[in-house]
């Protein structure tokens, strides 16, 4: 392990700066940042480091033997990461949106160029979910991975359910605390969770599902009636990402708010934390919990990816490469949901297999019924345009 | 990955049989059990497998390319495991007592013979603690690992604190459910936790500490007064194993019952479950939770070790081999404890740096004070012979 890692870093936002500070403050003898590529080189960032605005300067620097990519733009991220792979530079990225869309190409490129790309930091910040799925849950016992993968929306939901904050003031507080992305719909409408779920699906079950095929729905439309409904049932609303292999080897994935009862692990995942429940034959359930967002937890995850490279660690994509029969993605299943609506016409957007409960009053109407995931997905855009809120409502 | 693992299995107790059933029931195409070595070959075990009572027969079988050792006897376990390493057969063991005493030799042997020994199943059953410490928490950020590592004693404590069972009926129930080892003091007096803690210390901090040097104390002496005391303070008693690197690079380890307040993760670890809190700079706290005991969870952990070998995974003992300055074990620290005693003479066994509270009545006396770990360790035998109960009582 006499190897020294000399990093060319792309991006100096929250996580990039976090990594810089971590390496400055915690002795890590074999790892240093050589040069940092940023868009605007003229800005004074108040740190003692070499900046450039030229990707070429990073890639042509013979000293640099490692790329860490921590920028926001998914297209630029893919360009950098694929260029690094082709140059056989070990690379770490945190860009979940890019990964969720480009993983098949990146897996192919890694194979072609015998190169290494790590991205544990991209899903669940400091919780080593991908590494564990890849290394430890690498047999056929795994049934499902389910969790709270987005810290920002969970922070808002916690403030609402634990501190009786209104939806709007919780949102405002999250913004003030810096927990929301510049485009808050990424967090609130479940896109961030969706991208992470797609990455998890690859390592958990060996199946890549394009994010366009997966139903995601968030908490933007949730209102006080929904919160009261949950409280009356002694449940909390959580934004849950879920991938599950059914007994017939079909694979189901979705991101949807869920009415969670007290006896569930994720009921107690509070604030900006993430929590993941891994369920399998024989070992039953396991639960991993930790900080899912923020500069410091995420940069510590980036550091774990970097030091893993010191030992030539790479994802083997074990399930994808070696499973005897990969599960097949489907959205042809139905599950119980709660639907709050204003205009009964909107119910036409949903195709209920069965209706269990129906309530109407002057200002508040809801239905509890069985709806197919496929029909939900088909109506997603239309539903998002209406004054409607959906949440999975398991009968447990 | 065309390699086929053909196992020579030692032991057909709870976990050995669990592994057999797992491989029989869950398709695992590259793994099979070739032969099973047991003490008494005449017993009908009701399964379709080849048994032998000769270790030689296993080691001389040219078909067998993998050893799984799941017997109880620590000395015999060491003999088998070291013989396997010397024959360069990849080996998996679950014997924590053996590992806790022999790890330095086994690490040396692995190096010498360039051979592989895996034992994630030995600590915390199905929770991949060792693998995570080795692979993910491999940088210098780690501060402490603390947890409930013994499912049996936790089962008893849960029945007492959640279901108001008496100590003796909880013990009886644990026995009936098969949660207790044939020698229950292993579980109840913290030996099992201690052995696991020693293994964890090696992978978390690169330091091997002989179990003899570590203070362990269990719940055998706990009585109704102690339970009432905990309840009055709105706490629960849990048997906690703890290893921590202090800011001055000294390492502290111990196993002791602790009065845990509600806001702690491990407060909610119930029944036969295990829970581990990993604390570090930057990522703050992470929590892993799962089934820590029993045939099925443990055998699934053994299977994870086996399949890891398909990919030539081995522990690198990263911290031990590569840390710049390994922490140094000490027991020269003091902490706040609760001591319930009958005979004031017994207090002479303890050296209080400071006394915070003192209570006396006809049938119940206690002191809360600051005691050094070293003095506790020195008096362990004497304390165990007296009607005294100790529990760490942090002031949080």
């Amino acid at each position: 392990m006499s190897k020294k890692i000399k990093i060319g870093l792309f991006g100096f936002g929250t996580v990039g700066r976090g990594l810089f500070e971590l390496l400055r403050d915690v002795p890590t003898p074999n790892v240093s940042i050589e040069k940092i590529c940023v868009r605007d080189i003229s800005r004074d960032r108040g740190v003692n480091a070499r900046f450039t605005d030229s990707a070429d300067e990073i890639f042509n620097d013979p000293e640099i033997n490692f790329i860490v990519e921590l920028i926001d733009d998914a297209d630029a991220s893919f360009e950098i990461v694929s260029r690094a792979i082709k140059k056989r530079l070990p690379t770490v990225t945190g860009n979940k949106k890019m990964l969720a869309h480009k993983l098949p190409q990146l897996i192919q490129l890694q194979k072609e160029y015998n190169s290494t790309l790590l991205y544990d930091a991209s899903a669940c910040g400091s919780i080593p979910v991908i590494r564990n799925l890849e290394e430890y849950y690498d047999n056929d016992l795994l049934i499902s991975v389910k969790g709270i993968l987005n810290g920002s929306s969970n922070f808002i939901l916690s403030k609402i359910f634990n501190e009786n904050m209104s939806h709007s003031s919780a949102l405002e507080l999250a913004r003030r605390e810096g927990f929301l992305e510049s485009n808050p719909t990424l967090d609130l409408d479940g896109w961030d969770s969706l991208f992470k779920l797609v990455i998890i699906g690859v390592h958990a079950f060996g199946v890549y599902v394009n994010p366009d095929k997966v139903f995601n729905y968030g908490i933007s439309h949730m209102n006080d009636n929904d919160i009261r409904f949950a409280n009356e049932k002694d449940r909390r609303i959580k934004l849950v990402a879920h991938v599950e292999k059914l007994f017939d080897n079909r694979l189901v994935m979705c991101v949807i708010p869920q009415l969670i009862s007290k006896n569930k692990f994720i009921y107690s995942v509070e604030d900006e934390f993430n929590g993941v429940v891994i369920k399998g034959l024989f070992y039953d359930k396991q639960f991993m919990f930790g900080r899912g967002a923020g500069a410091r937890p995420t940069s510590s995850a980036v550091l774990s990816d970097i030091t893993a490279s010191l030992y030539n660690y790479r994802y083997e994509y074990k399930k994808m490469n070696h499973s005897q029969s990969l599960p097949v993605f489907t959205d042809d299943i139905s599950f119980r949901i709660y639907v709050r609506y204003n205009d009964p016409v909107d119910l036409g957007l949903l195709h209920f297999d069965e209706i269990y409960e129906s309530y109407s009053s002057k200002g508040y109407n809801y239905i509890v019924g069985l709806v197919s995931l496929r029909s939900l997905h088909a109506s997603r855009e239309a539903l998002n345009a209406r004054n409607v809120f959906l949440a999975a409502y398991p009968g447990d």
Side-chain angles (χ1 to χ4, degrees), chain A:
Chain A
M1 211 203 49
S2 57
K3 200 160 61 174
K4 300 248 184 246
I5 288 183
K6 299 191 168 182
I7 296 171
L9 171 63
F10 286 86
F12 203 70
T14 314
V15 184
R17 182 182 284 269
L19 180 67
F20 179 87
E21 291 175 355
L22 195 168
L23 290 172
R24 185 191 59 198
D25 299 347
V26 181
T28 317
N30 295 303
V31 182
S32 62
I33 294 176
E34 214 43 30
K35 209 171 272 180
I36 305 168
C37 185
V38 290
R39 222 173 323 180
D40 176 8
I41 201 175
S42 68
R43 242 173 74 200
D44 179 20
R45 291 175 172 84
V47 297
N48 181 19
R50 292 195 289 160
F51 288 94
T52 175
D53 57 2
S54 148
D56 288 342
E57 207 182 312
I58 300 270
F59 282 110
N60 296 331
D61 187 329
E63 282 295 302
I64 288 173
N65 59 13
F66 201 100
I67 300 296
V68 176
E69 181 281 303
L70 298 170
I71 64 175
D72 257 353
D73 181 322
D75 294 331
S77 158
F78 179 66
E79 217 179 289
I80 293 162
V81 168
S82 50
R83 185 171 172 185
I85 293 176
K86 287 176 185 166
K87 283 207 74 168
R88 291 194 170 77
L89 290 165
T91 304
V92 169
T93 176
N95 197 311
K96 39 204 159 267
K97 184 179 176 189
M98 183 278 284
L99 289 164
H101 287 93
K102 301 289 191 183
L103 256 180
Q105 288 98 306
L106 292 173
I107 293 170
Q108 185 51 39
L109 276 178
Q110 286 178 78
K111 212 180 282 180
E112 211 170 305
Y113 290 88
N114 190 26
S115 197
T116 305
L117 174 67
L118 297 178
Y119 44 80
D120 235 281
S122 70
C124 296
S126 60
I127 315 177
V129 175
I130 297 174
R131 209 84 76 83
N132 274 282
L133 291 170
E134 180 74 15
E135 298 307 313
Y136 200 80
Y137 301 102
D138 61 341
N139 46 52
D140 279 333
L141 303 178
L142 191 67
I143 297 172
S144 69
V145 182
K146 183 172 175 171
I148 293 171
L149 308 183
N150 179 266
S152 322
S153 55
N154 200 55
F155 177 86
I156 291 168
L157 291 169
S158 287
K159 294 298 158 196
I160 292 171
F161 281 91
N162 301 341
E163 300 174 25
N164 288 317
M165 238 180 228
S166 73
H167 193 179
S168 57
S169 16
L171 189 69
E172 189 42 44
L173 180 64
R175 206 186 299 273
R176 271 209 312 278
E177 299 262 330
F179 284 135
L180 280 178
E181 308 245 6
S182 42
N183 176 3
T185 57
L186 276 179
D187 295 314
L188 301 183
D189 287 345
W191 292 103
D192 177 79
S193 303
L194 169 65
F195 298 148
K196 292 167 178 170
L197 185 65
V198 167
I199 300 169
I200 285 172
V202 166
H203 292 277
F205 297 105
V207 177
Y208 170 75
V209 183
N210 190 296
D212 296 343
K213 291 195 184 164
V214 183
F215 178 66
N216 70 306
Y217 185 86
I219 57 168
S220 294
H221 289 269
M222 189 182 73
N223 74 15
D224 289 344
N225 285 314
D226 307 316
I227 296 163
R228 199 176 52 238
F229 179 86
N231 280 325
E232 282 170 9
K233 309 291 177 193
D234 216 10
R235 298 196 182 202
R236 288 177 182 160
I237 295 170
K238 295 283 188 189
L239 183 54
V240 175
H242 188 174
V243 53
E244 177 157 358
K245 186 173 75 171
L246 305 178
F247 69 96
D248 57 3
N249 212 28
R250 291 185 306 159
L251 193 77
V252 179
M253 288 171 99
C254 68
V255 177
I256 188 168
Q258 187 169 329
L259 287 145
I260 303 277
S261 49
K262 270 193 172 156
N263 60 347
K264 300 293 178 191
F265 291 138
I266 51 181
Y267 181 90
S268 312
V269 176
E270 301 292 8
D271 299 328
E272 73 276 23
F273 281 86
N274 284 188
V276 178
V277 179
I278 293 170
K279 201 172 154 189
L281 296 171
F282 276 74
Y283 50 76
D284 192 9
K285 282 180 189 175
Q286 307 210 359
F287 180 53
M288 299 174 81
F289 177 89
R291 288 195 184 273
R296 292 162 65 97
T298 310
S299 60
S300 75
V302 171
L303 179 63
S304 279
D305 279 344
I306 295 169
T307 50
S309 292
L310 277 171
Y311 293 87
N312 304 313
Y313 175 76
R314 55 194 296 173
Y315 303 137
E316 302 277 353
Y317 300 95
K318 291 181 182 173
K319 302 233 170 148
M320 191 171 265
N321 289 328
H322 302 300
S323 269
Q324 305 287 305
S325 61
L326 288 173
V328 178
F329 175 74
T330 183
D331 55 7
D332 186 17
I333 61 137
S334 294
F335 60 109
R336 209 170 92 125
I337 64 168
Y338 157 92
V339 184
R340 190 252 312 143
Y341 61 96
N342 229 23
D343 184 347
V345 170
D346 293 338
L347 291 178
L349 293 169
L350 299 162
H351 305 280
F352 288 97
D353 300 349
E354 208 176 333
I355 288 175
Y356 302 120
E357 289 177 44
S358 157
Y359 173 86
S360 285
S361 70
K362 203 108 202 158
Y364 176 43
N365 316 296
Y366 72 80
I367 277 182
V368 174
L370 207 62
V371 161
S372 93
L373 191 55
R374 183 167 295 172
S375 77
L376 281 177
H377 198 182
S379 312
R380 180 171 60 184
E381 298 309 314
L383 285 165
N384 268 324
R386 306 294 304 160
N387 184 3
V388 166
F389 176 70
L390 313 171
Y393 185 23
D396 54 12

